Amino acid sequence: MSNSSVAPFVKWAGGKRQLLPQIKERMPEKYNNYFEPFVGGGAVIFELLPANALINDINKALINTYKQICSAPNAFLKAVNKLDAEMWDDGKEYYYSLREHYNDKLMKAEYDVELAALFVFINKHCFNGLYRVNGKGLFNVPYNNSRRASVEEEVIMAISKYLQGVTIIDGDFEAACKHAKKSDFVFMDSPYAPLNPTSFESYTKEGFDIESHKRLANLFDELTVRGCYCMLTNHNTDLINELYGNKGYRIDVVSVKRMINSDASNRVGEEVIMCNY
């Protein structure tokens, strides 16, 4: 499938838009099914548009949004456009009222089309498009003073059409790869390893700790044994090199700009793109 209108509908920490050329040039020439256990904003799958795909993320609100756009795009657009149209003169007060409503629905586990609309609205109107929750799992990012439209109708409809053929699940990354087999392609863009050992940050209340990174490295090894084509991206850190080095994997270091960082001087860094083929 090819559609120039298919593009991410949210901004996401660690999104891979700027690395797309490097990712595409390292893709296997042919593969069967496509698996993406950490889909995030979907920059990679929306660029590749693979025919037989499974996407997963542990963030239930994010996956609910994918599901609502897939199954009920018109209802989703109506709900988002309503939120945009009703924006008060005091945008800040309006944003915080919707953020509170969003968190209330999260606490009640109301994963519906209204939650999906709220999810996209606050993503477009929060600081740096950052999805961050506190220890209770409540979204707590401040307002960015924007009053722009939350979505483009053409993009949402194109995404919805593409997602009809995609399996969409939420849960653990290992479970998402359970059925990956020989000649399938697995793209892994997990939460970043810390740049220093004392700074573990996470965008989900579940977190992604060092044990999770070790479990992911074991899965990468297991999928390699199964005959899957695997590609993994992360910070170029001692932890990542320790987990994946000396195993014969191809590890390329690339320079990147960090889009989500309050300190502009910290917006340049190095990432690795690792392949087992």
Side-chain angles (χ1 to χ4, degrees), residues 32-81:
N32 293 332
N33 302 301
Y34 177 92
F35 292 80
E36 192 167 346
F38 307 94
V39 69
V44 175
I45 191 170
F46 289 152
E47 177 69 20
L48 301 176
L49 299 176
N52 302 300
L54 179 148
I55 59 173
N56 173 79
D57 203 280
I58 201 166
N59 188 314
K60 289 182 179 295
L62 172 66
I63 291 299
N64 172 65
T65 308
Y66 277 98
K67 288 179 175 178
Q68 297 295 339
I69 289 173
C70 175
S71 63
N74 292 313
F76 170 79
L77 283 168
K78 183 178 179 181
V80 175
N81 291 335

Side-chain angles (χ1 to χ4, degrees), residues 154-175:
E154 181 187 3
V155 170
I156 295 301
M157 296 309 292
I159 290 172
S160 180
K161 183 179 179 182
Y162 169 65
L163 290 177
Q164 301 304 311
V166 175
T167 301
I168 307 170
I169 61 173
D170 63 84
D172 186 76
F173 60 85
E174 280 191 88

